[in-house]
């Protein structure tokens, strides 16, 4: 019986060379009985053993020819784990990307904090004149109208605005706008002054703009923060802001301002000085 043992050993070695390690259903997997001597001593059916070996040989030959090499259990586990690894890497990248985006957003919100409320610009400084000016309080919404057929002899005061179409012989004080289209014999003090085809004998004091329209005649000094002259003025103009002398203007007196614009056709008999300018004249020629 040693012949079959030697044949099995040689056949197993040959099959192991043809089939990679770890293959399933190979000759190497064939287990011999634990008590080989007892088995060999016992009666053996030779035809049955040869048929088993032939069947095993044919099965192994077919797998080798077809290139269908079975995988071991370890290889199968590795192959099954590969997609999971790829998927886990993909998920890992996505997770890292999300974390990065989240970190970027958090950093953005931490870095770019909402701007502080814009501070309101400081109000422009109001130019005050050296000439005495009555205090002007807060103007109300009231608007008094002196009609053309009305004449007032005496001073007039109002917390609102006044529109003079008639005649006033006296001083006028108002916290709002003073509009004169009639005749005023006296000084005026207001937040804003506008004369339109009016006749005014007296000084004009305003904390705002003084506008002398076409056809208006003012005999007296004008003190304001800015002025536009299109009529006739006989007196000095003291304005710490800009002064515009229009084409139809006639000024007999000195102009003291921060800047002056004289349009072509204007007539000025006096001295113009930009006393309130920011330019250091002495430094230029010094």
């Amino acid at each position: 019986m040693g012949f079959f043992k030697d044949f099995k050993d040689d056949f197993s070695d040959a099959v192991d060379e043809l089939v990679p390690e770890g293959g399933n259903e190979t000759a190497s997997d064939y287990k011999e009985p634990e008590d080989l001597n007892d088995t060999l001593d016992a009666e053996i059916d030779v035809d049955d053993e040869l048929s088993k070996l032939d069947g095993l040989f044919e099965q192994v030959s077919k797998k080798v020819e077809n290139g269908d090499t079975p995988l071991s259990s370890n290889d199968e586990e590795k192959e099954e784990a590969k997609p999971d690894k790829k998927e886990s890497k993909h998920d890992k990248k996505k997770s890292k990307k999300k974390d990065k985006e989240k970190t970027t957003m958090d950093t953005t919100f931490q870095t770019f904090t909402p701007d502080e409320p814009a501070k309101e610009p400081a109000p422009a400084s109001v130019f005050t004149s050296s000439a005495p000016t009555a205090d002007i309080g807060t103007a109300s919404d009231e608007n008094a109208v002196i009609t053309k057929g009305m004449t007032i002899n005496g001073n007039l005061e109002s917390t609102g605005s006044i529109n003079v179409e008639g005649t006033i012989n006296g001083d006028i004080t108002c916290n709002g706008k003073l509009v004169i289209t009639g005749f005023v014999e006296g000084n005026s003090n207001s937040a804003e002054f506008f004369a339109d085809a009016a006749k005014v004998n007296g000084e004009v004091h305003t904390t705002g703009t003084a506008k002398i329209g076409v056809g208006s005649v003012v005999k007296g000094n004008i003190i304001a923060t800015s002025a536009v002259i299109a009529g006739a003025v006989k007196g000095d103009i003291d304005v710490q802001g800009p002064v515009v002398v229009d084409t139809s203007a006639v000024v007999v007196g000195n102009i003291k301002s921060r800047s002056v614009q004289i349009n072509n056709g204007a007539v000025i008999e006096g001295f113009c000085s930009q006393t309130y300018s920011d330019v250091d004249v002495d430094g230029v020629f010094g």
Side-chain angles (χ1 to χ4, degrees), residues 91-225:
D91 295 338
K92 206 170 185 180
K93 288 182 180 179
K94 289 177 71 176
S95 178
K96 285 183 178 179
K97 188 176 180 181
K98 288 182 179 179
D99 293 341
K100 187 176 181 181
E101 291 177 354
K102 185 177 180 182
T103 305
T104 305
M105 292 177 65
D106 293 342
T107 306
T108 301
F109 283 115
Q110 291 176 3
T111 304
F112 300 99
T113 55
D115 296 334
E116 295 181 357
K119 296 182 179 179
E120 294 182 359
S125 58
V126 179
F127 298 105
T128 57
S129 173
S130 58
T133 303
D135 294 335
I136 300 298
T138 303
S140 63
D141 296 334
E142 296 178 356
N143 187 14
V145 178
I146 309 300
T147 61
K148 291 182 179 180
M150 182 179 295
T151 300
I152 298 177
N153 294 318
N155 299 332
L156 182 65
E157 296 183 4
S158 173
T159 58
S161 300
I162 299 176
N163 189 348
V164 179
E165 298 176 1
T167 301
I168 296 179
N169 295 317
D171 297 336
I172 301 174
T173 302
C174 67
N175 297 346
K177 184 177 182 180
L178 176 60
V179 179
I180 302 175
T181 58
F183 177 80
V184 174
E185 184 73 30
N187 301 326
S188 64
N189 193 347
S190 61
E192 190 173 354
F193 181 88
F194 179 43
D196 184 14
K199 300 293 187 292
V200 177
N201 291 329
E203 292 188 352
V204 175
H205 295 256
T206 177
T207 57
T209 302
K211 296 179 182 180
I212 311 300
V214 179
S216 298
V217 177
V218 176
K219 295 180 180 180
N221 300 328
I222 297 177
I223 300 170
T225 57

